[in-house]
Amino acid sequence: MSLYDDAVLVLKQYEGQGDQDELSRLYLDHLAAHPDGMWKACRDGHVTASALVIDPERGRVLLTLHRKLRMWLQMGGHCEPVDATLAEAALREGREESGISGLTLLPGGPVRLDRHLTPCAWHLDVQYAALAPAGAVEAISDESLDLRWFPYAEVASVADDSVVRLVEATRARL
C-alpha cells in the first residue's frame, strides 16, 4: 500500500467523527483531484502529518517555536518518500523535531484535522498525538528557534487556536 492509499484509508476511517466531516471530505476530494497531493511539490496544497508530543503524567505538552513561522506549534511537516503511512510520518516528524526517541502514538488514529495556509501552500494536516516516554529529554532541531514544555493551562497563552483545539482533543482522548 502506498502512502497515498494509506492517507485515503485513514481519512475515510476518520469520517463520521463529528464536527470534522466536512474537512475530511475536503481532504479526500483534494487527493482524488491531485495524485501528487501527498507531496510538497503539489502547489494546490498537500497532506502533512503532525504529532503533539504530550506528557500526561506531568500534564504538559512539548511545543516548538517554528523557525520560519515564528509560532509555537506541535511537531510536524511534509510527508517524505520514506514514510509508509501517515502515522509513520507523524511519528518521524515528532522524533526529528523533539529529539525524543521512544515516542509512541496515542491509539485510535488521528486526533484532529487542520487546514491552514503556509508560505509554500495549503497544508491539509493530519494531527496525531505522541506520548513521551518517562524521563524523556528533548533536543532542539535546526527547524526550531526554541523547544519548550508547557502545562496544559498555558498553551492558550502562547499558541494559536488550532494548537489549543489539538491539545483539548488529545486530552479528551486520554
Side-chain angles (χ1 to χ4, degrees):
M1 178 183 307
S2 70
L3 180 58
Y4 177 97
D5 293 335
D6 176 73
V8 169
L9 182 63
V10 166
L11 292 164
K12 284 183 178 180
Q13 290 172 343
Y14 191 81
E15 280 186 305
Q17 302 217 6
D19 65 337
Q20 296 210 292
D21 278 347
E22 188 175 321
L23 202 50
S24 60
R25 174 55 37 209
L26 185 141
Y27 282 31
L28 288 165
D29 290 347
H30 176 80
L31 287 174
H34 298 90
D36 63 341
M38 296 301 302
W39 311 115
K40 184 178 180 179
C42 182
R43 291 293 173 208
D44 287 337
H46 36 269
V47 174
T48 58
S50 65
L52 176 70
V53 176
I54 187 165
D55 178 357
E57 290 183 17
R58 297 178 70 183
R60 62 188 190 160
V61 297
L62 184 65
L63 299 179
T64 179
L65 184 56
H66 194 278
R67 182 172 296 281
K68 292 180 183 174
L69 300 177
R70 301 197 183 269
M71 297 171 61
W72 287 104
L73 301 169
Q74 73 277 8
M75 315 306 146
H78 297 108
C79 295
E80 297 180 5
V82 297
D83 301 320
T85 67
L86 279 176
E88 286 179 19
L91 203 51
R92 176 188 50 75
E93 287 287 341
R95 282 191 308 265
E96 287 176 0
E97 293 184 13
S98 73
I100 299 173
S101 59
L103 293 175
T104 56
L105 292 182
L106 192 63
V111 176
R112 283 192 53 79
L113 304 176
D114 186 76
R115 179 178 179 260
H116 50 272
L117 188 59
T118 71
C120 73
W122 281 100
H123 278 188
L124 304 150
D125 197 29
V126 180
Q127 302 176 323
Y128 292 82
L131 300 170
V137 177
E138 69 281 0
I140 195 166
S141 77
D142 58 359
E143 294 182 38
S144 302
L145 294 171
D146 197 0
L147 192 63
R148 193 177 310 163
W149 290 100
F150 290 95
Y152 299 146
E154 287 183 22
V155 173
S157 66
V158 297
D160 70 10
D161 289 344
S162 70
V163 177
V164 172
R165 286 189 299 269
L166 177 58
V167 171
E168 290 169 352
T170 300
R171 290 183 67 198
R173 188 178 288 182
L174 287 173

